[in-house]
Amino acid sequence: MGTNTLDVARLAAMDSREATRLLKSMRAAALEGRRTKVVPRTDIEESWRRMLDSGLNPDGGYRAGLLPLAEVERRRQHSPLSEVLPVLRDALVSVADAAQHIMVVSDAEGRLLWREGHPSVLKQADTLGFEVGADWSEAAVGTNGVGTPLVTGRPVQVFSAEHFVATHHTWTCAGAPIVDPRDGRLLGVVDVSGPLSTMHPATLSFVTSVTRLAVAELRNRHFAALDRLRTVAAPVLCRIGGRALAVDDNGWVAAVTGMPPTDRLALPKSPRSGRVWLPSLGMCTVEPLPGGRLVQVDGDGAGPGTSTARRVMLDLSRPRRCSVTVSGDVGSWTQELSPRHAELLFVLAQNREGRSAAQLAQDIFEDPTRTVTVRAEMSRLRRGLAEVLAHRPYRFSEDVHVEVVRPDLPSDLLPHSSSPTVRLARGRHP
């Protein structure tokens, strides 16, 4: 039977009751394992599959307990999203209010931290448990505009019965993730939601554009902080005779002396003061600076490329917190990975003989012509992993043992990825 994928424009053009009937029929078929002539959009179908694998009750109204207000306030104060809340409010709240929507901002766990908008819609949201402190991760409430973008790393719009749990079928939502430009960490999701009658296909594009403004504001604040650190570090670096760098907590370099400039230094997750082994520099001495750290390369330490890394562990067991750990004779070091870097390292782990830029482009994008993108990403990766990543072709060094830690469910392997290599691996048990 030939199939067609349902698109947003077609949904928006339909009568709301007709659209609801169509979506419910597709959902019912998915729950029964049947295939229909019109199939769900890819993000929705993949989310439904994850929910079926997890055993979530599609007809249940389970709600996780609300966070205490004190814990909500603590998370707000520690969230970088608090820095850009004025940007989100200025761009979204007035529009959402006029369109009978509400704006919701979650953290990276799917907990709702802020909620503003039309009073009548806020009351409707309360009946769904869509309130501050609630858990709207996919694992808790199924396919939705907060939890699903947290899993996929992509903006997602969810209409009516595209929600896996039946109690949410009167609702429509559009959410986009926000990633911290300073360290690639997923911070949370900005979502605009409301009754099904307020559905509009342009909502997702609007929300996505606003999240880009928020990311730009975070980036501007980052540059301003580096400028302040540079001012503080300048007189200190002038007194140092050897190689040294002033870096912020994420390893971004504000100033250097005695060595070529670089954008970023790969640091351990919580670098301690004193002597520390860094994979790209060898043994270094780290001291605190206001707004960052002073890193001095030890005179007798190993230079770049001369470390003794023996083992690489690529941890993909947590879909939103992938990391790589490099271990050697002088210690170990861990770095969180962006979704793209996690994909690339997984492909290289699957192909120890190495891959050319064109082959990696085919592996990741199904397009061998996208070599410029691949080379740029591999260049960024090798800044911190040069001691274990070779090139021409790109590969893990032959004398390094590579271990891949996968999630318990094969379907949870890099859920954001559409790479054919990853899709194939999801069909195999670890």
Side-chain angles (χ1 to χ4, degrees):
M1 176 177 65
T3 59
N4 295 307
T5 301
L6 185 64
D7 59 53
V8 174
R10 179 179 173 186
L11 267 179
M14 297 172 67
D15 174 79
S16 61
R17 288 173 296 182
E18 181 186 357
T20 299
R21 283 195 297 270
L22 175 60
L23 293 171
K24 286 186 175 182
S25 68
M26 286 194 303
R27 175 178 171 276
L31 295 178
E32 297 168 6
R34 293 185 289 107
R35 197 74 173 166
T36 54
K37 187 173 182 180
V38 180
V39 297
R41 294 176 290 136
T42 301
D43 280 337
I44 301 301
E45 186 172 30
E46 290 179 351
S47 177
W48 286 356
R49 190 177 301 118
R50 288 193 295 272
M51 298 304 95
L52 290 169
D53 288 344
S54 72
L56 185 72
N57 182 3
D59 299 313
Y62 168 76
R63 298 182 188 179
L66 297 180
L67 290 176
L69 290 180
E71 174 62 14
V72 170
E73 188 58 33
R74 188 194 68 80
R75 293 191 182 208
R76 286 174 172 175
Q77 292 177 358
H78 286 83
S79 172
L81 293 179
S82 63
E83 302 173 30
V84 296
L85 199 59
V87 173
L88 300 174
R89 283 182 174 135
D90 290 346
L92 286 176
V93 173
S94 60
V95 175
D97 188 48
Q100 292 193 319
H101 279 69
I102 59 174
M103 179 194 77
V104 171
V105 182
S106 84
D107 64 13
E109 294 179 2
R111 290 286 184 170
L112 308 190
L113 298 185
W114 292 278
R115 191 187 73 155
E116 301 179 29
H118 196 281
S120 66
V121 184
L122 289 172
K123 290 181 181 179
Q124 293 182 55
D126 288 342
T127 66
L128 299 173
F130 200 54
E131 51 193 316
V132 169
D135 181 358
W136 273 68
S137 63
E138 263 200 352
V141 297
T143 309
N144 72 91
V146 173
T148 302
L150 287 175
V151 173
T152 65
R154 297 187 295 269
V156 177
Q157 196 162 15
V158 185
F159 301 116
S160 183
E162 288 183 324
H163 290 90
F164 185 78
V165 176
T167 51
H168 304 153
H169 289 180
T170 59
W171 206 243
T172 178
C173 48
I178 294 186
V179 173
D180 195 326
R182 296 165 286 197
D183 59 8
R185 180 167 53 101
L186 180 62
L187 298 177
V189 165
V190 177
D191 172 89
V192 168
S193 294
L196 181 60
S197 59
T198 63
M199 178 185 75
H200 194 286
T203 304
L204 185 62
S205 296
F206 179 51
V207 173
T208 303
S209 297
V210 173
T211 60
R212 289 174 182 156
L213 288 176
V215 170
E217 175 65 16
L218 288 173
R219 188 176 291 110
N220 290 338
R221 288 171 176 261
H222 166 56
F223 291 152
L226 283 180
D227 285 340
R228 291 192 294 271
L229 176 58
R230 189 173 296 115
T231 301
V232 169
V236 178
L237 292 175
C238 285
R239 298 193 296 267
I240 294 176
R243 294 184 292 162
L245 311 88
V247 302
D248 69 6
D249 291 342
N250 294 310
W252 291 101
V253 177
V256 303
T257 186
M259 58 191 300
T262 185
D263 291 334
R264 193 175 185 187
L265 177 67
L267 291 175
K269 196 168 186 179
S270 299
R272 65 183 186 275
S273 296
R275 298 192 77 213
V276 177
W277 178 72
L278 299 178
S280 58
L281 296 174
M283 292 305 301
C284 299
T285 300
V286 178
E287 300 176 35
L289 282 175
R293 291 176 172 83
L294 174 67
V295 179
Q296 298 183 69
V297 183
D298 289 1
D300 58 351
T306 62
S307 61
T308 54
R310 302 298 183 195
R311 180 171 177 267
V312 172
M313 183 179 73
L314 181 59
D315 187 352
L316 309 180
S317 61
R318 298 173 298 172
R320 299 190 297 274
R321 300 292 296 274
C322 297
S323 65
V324 60
T325 298
V326 179
S327 304
D329 298 338
V330 292
S332 63
W333 164 89
T334 299
Q335 178 180 332
E336 288 193 13
L337 297 169
S338 69
R340 181 68 71 219
H341 287 176
E343 279 182 314
L344 286 165
L345 291 181
F346 178 74
V347 170
L348 293 179
Q350 299 294 104
N351 297 274
R352 289 300 304 269
E353 73 282 1
R355 306 296 277 170
S356 67
Q359 287 173 320
L360 279 176
Q362 176 65 33
D363 293 332
I364 300 297
F365 304 111
E366 295 188 271
D367 181 357
T369 67
R370 295 186 62 176
T371 55
V372 172
T373 301
V374 165
R375 289 193 180 100
E377 294 294 347
M378 288 302 303
S379 176
R380 295 186 185 100
L381 263 176
R382 294 189 74 247
R383 288 174 190 167
L385 298 173
E387 75 282 7
V388 296
L389 280 181
H391 62 119
R392 297 180 183 174
Y394 296 113
R395 65 194 185 281
F396 282 104
S397 301
E398 293 180 3
D399 57 347
V400 172
H401 173 72
V402 179
E403 176 187 357
V404 178
V405 181
R406 304 191 186 204
D408 294 334
L409 293 175
S411 59
D412 286 341
L413 176 67
L414 299 175
H416 63 276
S417 176
S418 57
S419 156
T421 300
V422 175
R423 293 202 306 264
L424 179 64
R426 287 188 193 125
R428 300 171 178 168
H429 291 279

